Structure formats: structure tokens, C-alpha cells
């Protein structure tokens, strides 16, 4: 007996559709596929009833279980905050050295400070705190206002040239723009500043610039050019430059001055977070 072919019109019939001699067979789907399909429909209806699903005019159907992803996240966040509250209360009450001396508090503060740094400080100082043009590298030892725990805490809390009554404040005059020095004096002073770090190649200009420097710059930078942390005046004898150490850039700085601004984080961040930030920044390697 010849085997029947289930793929012929004689065995399964056709839908009546035909294109260029090709007929569309009316072959039924496998039963297992239909059963799975029906089960999915039943599952979907049950899901619609149990969980939030249907939009309404001003809200949505809550479902029999009343489940809400937003609500669950809010509960998880609240639970996490409650777990952290014990440590954060201790950090808020303790001084910086006491936190550093307590391994458990110190590790908690480091983790919290790293998170807060990524959220608030990385856009300017970089994700790795390496800094950028006009933004200090927090991993080296060049600290304009000091790199101790307390000094870093003060800077974070009150900012630099910020709208805060206790902010760090200093201002370098725009010697060229204000007519305090002429163009040649500015150029000679820049040459002298470069000589302090061994980068000058014009000894005569540097000698002339030294006279100008001693008259106009020593009050802040000191007679040896090593700076003054109490005034936020940078050390000019190293090769760490916030805006660049080539002559053109130094001339620009002397001519028009520089005045970067760091916001005061007091009032934006709570006291515990500010302490955590100070401890984290101090731990990066440049803290003193």
C-alpha cells in the first residue's frame, strides 16, 4: 500500500488560495503547539488579573496582589537606609581621626565616599580623581589649601570662591589686564616662574622677571616661590600645574589671572556624607 502524503491537497484540502499554480494547503497546526498557545492565553489572562496591567484614565489596574515595582524599590531603599543609619549616625558624631582609627567605620566611610564622589565630584575631577585642565588632580601632593583630613573637609564643606560665608577665598590680580605690569614685564616674570622648576632657557629674561616677581608676587607665593597654603597660593617650583606650565599659558595666567570655583557642599550634602567624601579623597594617595 502506498504511503499517504500529508502535504498534498488530496489529503489535507486547500484554503482556496492559489498563486501562480501554488496552492495554500489547509494543514492544521500540531496539537502540542495549539495546547501551548492556549495555555499561554490562560496564563496571560491570569497575569492581567493578578498583577498591575491595564491603564485607566488617571491610573492603572492594581491587580489582586497589589504589586508595584516602584513600591518594592522604595521598600528596598528604605531598608537599606535603615541598615546604614547606625553607621552614618556614628560618622556624623565622630571626628575625622576617630573615624579613620575605627576599621569598621573607616571602611564604611570609604565606600560611601567613593559613591558620593562618583555622583557629585567626578564630572569635574574625573572618575579616577585624576583631574583635568583647571581641575586639581586629587592623587598628587599638590594641595592649594592643604591636604590634611581637616583641610580637605573644610574645602569640601565650604568650597572655593563659593557663595558661602566660610568659603576658601583668594584672588590673584590680573597684572596685565589691569595695567599693573606691561607686556615685557609679564613675559619676563613668566620666564622667571619657569626657571623655578628648571624649565627656563633665557637667563637674562628670568633675571629681569625675578625683580618683578619679588616686587609683586612674593606676598602670596613666597620669596622662593613655594606658595602658601593659608592663601591658596600654588607652589611654583614643582612641575604640577593646574592650568599648564608652558610659557604661553603662564603669560596668560599672569595677564588675566585665574579663579576657579568649587561649590560649597554644606547644605547640598549631609554632614556624614561630607565626612565620607573627605576620608575617601584623603585616601586616594595625595592626602597629607
Amino acid at each position: 500500500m502506498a504511503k499517504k502524503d500529508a502535504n498534498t491537497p488530496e489529503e489535507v484540502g486547500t484554503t482556496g488560495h492559489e498563486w501562480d499554480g501554488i496552492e495554500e494547503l489547509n494543514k492544521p497546526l500540531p496539537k502540542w503547539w495549539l495546547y501551548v498557545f492556549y495555555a499561554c492565553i490562560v496564563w496571560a489572562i491570569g497575569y492581567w488579573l493578578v498583577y498591575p496591567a491595564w491603564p485607566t484614565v488617571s491610573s492603572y489596574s492594581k491587580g489582586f496582589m497589589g504589586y508595584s515595582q516602584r513600591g518594592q524599590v522604595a521598600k528596598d531603599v528604605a531598608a537599606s537606609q535603615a541598615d546604614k543609619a547606625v553607621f552614618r549616625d556614628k560618622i556624623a558624631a565622630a571626628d575625622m581621626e576617630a573615624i579613620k582609627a575605627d576599621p569598621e567605620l573607616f571602611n564604611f566611610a570609604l565606600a560611601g565616599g567613593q559613591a558620593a564622589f562618583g555622583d557629585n565630584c567626578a564630572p569635574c575631577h574625573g572618575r579616577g580623581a585624576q583631574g583635568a585642565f583647571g581641575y586639581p588632580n586629587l592623587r598628587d601632593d599638590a594641595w592649594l589649601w592643604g591636604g590634611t583630613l581637616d583641610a580637605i573637609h573644610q574645602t569640601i564643606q565650604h568650597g572655593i570662591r563659593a557663595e558661602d560665608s566660610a568659603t576658601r577665598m583668594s584672588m590673584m590680580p590680573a597684572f596685565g589686564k589691569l595695567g599693573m605690569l606691561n607686556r615685557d614685564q609679564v613675559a619676563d616674570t613668566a620666564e622667571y616662574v619657569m626657571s623655578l622648576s628648571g624649565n627656563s632657557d633665557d637667563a637674562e629674561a628670568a633675571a629681569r622677571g625675578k625683580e618683578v616677581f619679588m616686587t609683586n608676587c612674593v606676598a602670596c607665593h613666597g620669596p622662593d616661590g613655594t606658595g602658601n597654603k593659608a592663601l591658596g597660593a600654588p607652589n611654583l617650583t614643582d612641575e604640577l600645574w593646574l592650568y599648564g606650565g608652558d610659557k604661553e599659558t603662564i603669560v596668560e595666567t599672569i595677564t588675566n589671572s585665574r579663579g576657579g570655583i568649587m561649590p560649597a557642599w554644606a547644605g547640598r550634602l549631609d554632614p556624614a556624607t561630607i565626612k565620607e567624601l573627605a576620608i575617601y579623597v584623603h585616601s586616594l594617595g595625595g592626602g597629607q
Side-chain angles (χ1 to χ4, degrees), residues 81-94:
Q81 293 295 340
D83 292 339
K84 294 178 180 179
V86 175
F87 291 99
R88 290 180 59 79
D89 288 346
K90 289 181 180 179
I91 288 173

Side-chain angles (χ1 to χ4, degrees), residues 26-217:
N26 189 22
K27 185 177 180 179
L29 292 167
K31 289 185 177 181
W32 67 267
W33 194 97
L34 287 173
Y35 294 152
V36 170
F37 178 66
Y38 296 147
C40 288
I41 293 174
V42 173
W43 174 267
I45 294 172
Y47 194 93
W48 291 340
L49 295 174
V50 173
Y51 288 97
W54 292 101
T56 61
V57 174
S58 60
S59 183
Y60 57 90
S61 61
K62 306 300 182 182
F64 293 152
M65 293 185 65
Y67 176 80
S68 167
Q69 260 188 337
R70 183 184 295 271
Q72 185 60 47
V73 169
K75 290 179 182 178
D76 292 343
V77 169
S80 177
Q81 293 295 340
D83 292 339
K84 294 178 180 179
V86 175
F87 291 99
R88 290 180 59 79
D89 288 346
K90 289 181 180 179
I91 288 173
D95 61 40
M96 307 294 290
E97 293 297 335
I99 296 171
K100 189 176 179 181
D102 185 323
E104 191 174 32
L105 274 186
F106 179 67
N107 289 330
F108 184 88
L110 278 181
Q114 184 176 19
F117 186 92
D119 290 341
N120 300 280
C121 312
C124 291
H125 292 284
R127 190 72 186 176
Q130 74 279 4
F133 180 82
Y135 300 100
N137 179 356
L138 303 179
R139 292 183 174 274
D140 60 28
D141 290 323
W143 293 88
L144 294 180
W145 299 94
T148 64
L149 268 173
D150 288 337
I152 294 172
H153 182 264
Q154 168 78 6
T155 300
I156 295 172
Q157 188 171 25
H158 298 294
I160 298 172
R161 304 180 189 91
E163 296 180 358
D164 185 290
S165 59
T167 191
R168 304 281 200 188
M169 182 61 72
S170 67
M171 185 58 66
M172 174 181 169
F175 288 100
K177 185 177 180 180
L178 296 176
M180 300 170 69
L181 300 176
N182 61 39
R183 184 175 298 180
D184 291 337
Q185 289 175 315
V186 169
D188 289 343
T189 305
E191 195 67 42
Y192 174 68
V193 169
M194 292 179 67
S195 74
L196 294 175
S197 56
N199 292 312
S200 172
D201 56 6
D202 188 338
E204 292 183 4
R208 294 192 300 268
K210 181 177 181 179
E211 295 181 11
V212 180
F213 184 92
M214 293 301 172
T215 302
N216 297 275
C217 310

